[in-house]
Amino acid sequence: MKAMFYEKRDDGRVKCRLCPHNCLITEGHAGICGARRNSNHDMEIPYFGRLSSLAVDPIEKKPLYHFYPASTVLSAGFWGCSFRCPFCQNYSISQNHDLHSDYFSPEELVQLAVRKKSFGIAYTYSEPLIHFEYILETGKIARKKGIKNILVSNGYINPEPADELLEYLDAANIDLKTFNSDFYRSEIGGKLEDVKRFIRQAAPRVSLEVTTLIIPSKNDTDEEISELAGFLAGISKDIPLHLSCYYPTYKYVIPPTSPELVERLGETAKKHLNYVYLGNVGLRETNTYCPGCGECLIRRSGYSVSLKGLEGNSCKKCGTKVPVVGI
Ligand code: SF4
């Protein structure tokens, strides 16, 4: 499989144009993500089809609450990441690579989704975008079979490849890790503006939801969450925002986020957005309420989901249309 979005330099280096890092890679080395290498003065993608994880998950686990609620989805994970989050909850696959992991061709992955009777394939767990060629090819085959393509990602991709991939995506959950550019640059290893640009680009083209992991003392002020939610509301007040509790892992030993903190920040975000959800908050509710009359439309308890408040895409009580796809 030939790599896409790169250029060869006369001095033998290759420049990757896939994500905003735009790595200039010398012979025998890989870019920041570890997934794309300069081999014989050409771009090699050695992990094409090498999956780190494969499972059938509730769509709510991605999390996607407004896309085919109460369905299960075939979920495929990869190796590597373009970011270096010291709090990564999947660091064993995002910061590692294994050339000997199971190989699934794009056709085989789509066939598996068909066999599992999955309505879609989620590209998830570690960062899928650095495996652009695989997702694009699988996405094209899946689309022909009527299978949906779902991206769960850090949203770090240049506009041109993003445009090509969005053609085949149906839904996405993008991590907006903070609204602080310094935090993005110094601890995550990316630029806030580039993630914002992808969110703006994707919002009109797919069913989009956004997740922010709330880390105490890092991104937990009302001002920051208000700005973040205000940015999303500037695109659409209907973009669902998931505020999740962090748990210490990988390099971070900061104590876990309290559900009360996430609840308070959720109230702040609700001043801007119609749909704000709390994640990893134990038994606290994660229902969807009608922005028109306040009626409960979708009731969730763990991964058990009831759509009793909906009549098609509308509130049964007041008729307000709600942006939920696939019911
Ligand atoms: S996809 Fe990987 S190699 Fe390409 S620019 Fe991004 S980090 Fe660098």
Side-chain angles (χ1 to χ4, degrees):
M1 164 60 59
K2 194 166 160 33
M4 299 168 72
F5 296 103
Y6 73 100
E7 59 199 41
K8 295 186 196 183
R9 292 285 169 93
D10 293 341
D11 60 7
R13 293 184 295 177
V14 292
K15 180 149 185 131
C16 181
R17 293 278 186 202
L18 182 57
C19 93
H21 288 309
N22 293 312
C23 298
L24 193 53
I25 311 170
T26 50
E27 169 65 27
H29 289 87
I32 288 171
C33 61
R36 309 171 77 79
R37 303 183 63 85
N38 181 341
S39 180
N40 296 319
H41 310 307
D42 208 346
M43 182 69 90
E44 191 191 19
I45 43 173
Y47 298 97
F48 183 91
R50 296 285 168 190
L51 300 187
S52 62
S53 347
L54 205 48
V56 176
D57 288 334
I59 189 77
E60 283 77 14
K61 197 173 172 183
K62 302 297 108 191
L64 282 171
Y65 280 11
H66 287 209
F67 190 72
Y68 287 77
S71 304
T72 52
V73 63
L74 179 67
S75 303
F78 303 85
W79 298 100
C81 186
S82 45
F83 285 171
R84 292 283 174 274
C85 307
F87 47 87
C88 181
Q89 314 212 327
N90 283 332
Y91 68 94
S92 61
I93 54 174
S94 75
Q95 303 303 320
N96 280 307
H97 298 86
D98 182 357
L99 265 181
H100 305 293
S101 55
D102 288 341
Y103 176 81
F104 281 78
S105 70
E107 291 81 4
E108 285 169 334
L109 192 63
V110 174
Q111 280 162 13
L112 186 62
V114 172
R115 278 206 305 280
K116 298 275 183 193
K117 299 191 174 17
S118 173
F119 80 97
I121 300 172
Y123 309 96
T124 178
Y125 301 133
S126 66
E127 182 47 53
L129 285 176
I130 57 175
H131 304 279
F132 179 90
E133 295 80 2
Y134 184 79
I135 301 170
L136 185 68
E137 195 177 328
T138 309
K140 286 179 180 176
I141 299 167
R143 176 66 57 86
K144 278 191 192 147
K145 299 260 181 206
I147 289 173
K148 306 293 181 197
N149 291 301
I150 297 140
L151 179 75
V152 183
S153 166
N154 64 15
Y156 215 53
I157 183 169
N158 282 329
E160 196 189 340
D163 184 54
E164 192 159 341
L165 187 62
L166 282 165
E167 200 58 37
Y168 296 94
L169 293 180
D170 299 284
N173 187 306
I174 304 302
D175 269 348
L176 182 53
K177 294 172 189 283
T178 165
F179 217 61
N180 176 336
S181 327
D182 290 341
F183 184 44
Y184 247 107
R185 197 184 54 250
S186 62
E187 298 208 36
I188 290 163
K191 287 182 278 210
L192 168 63
E193 281 309 316
D194 290 311
V195 180
K196 284 165 66 181
R197 184 190 59 215
F198 179 65
I199 289 173
R200 281 193 210 96
Q201 190 179 2
R205 296 181 61 179
V206 299
S207 186
L208 179 75
E209 305 193 18
V210 169
T211 296
T212 301
L213 187 72
I214 301 295
I215 308 171
S217 77
K218 294 291 183 183
N219 61 354
D220 63 343
T221 64
D222 288 293
E223 292 72 25
E224 180 167 344
I225 296 306
S226 184
E227 269 188 62
L228 185 152
F231 158 71
L232 294 176
I235 302 168
S236 165
K237 285 171 80 75
D238 284 341
I239 295 176
L241 172 64
H242 300 261
L243 298 178
S244 267
C245 283
Y246 138 98
Y247 191 81
T249 186
Y250 195 31
K251 295 179 180 170
Y252 266 16
V253 291
I254 298 167
T257 315
S258 72
E260 291 75 23
L261 170 60
V262 175
E263 237 167 22
R264 191 192 82 213
L265 296 174
E267 290 307 312
T268 299
K270 280 179 194 166
K271 291 178 189 154
H272 300 272
L273 295 165
N274 286 333
Y275 306 98
V276 177
Y277 299 107
L278 312 184
N280 303 334
V281 285
L283 295 175
R284 281 172 168 76
E285 65 167 50
T286 55
N287 299 335
T288 299
Y289 293 96
C290 175
C293 68
E295 184 73 357
C296 181
L297 304 175
I298 306 177
R299 192 173 294 282
R300 301 180 185 86
S301 172
Y303 293 124
S304 149
V305 180
S306 158
L307 308 172
K308 283 193 182 138
L310 284 171
E311 183 86 61
N313 273 60
S314 302
C315 171
K316 246 183 202 168
K317 192 170 167 198
C318 74
T320 296
K321 278 230 173 306
V322 287
V324 179
V325 174
I327 42 176

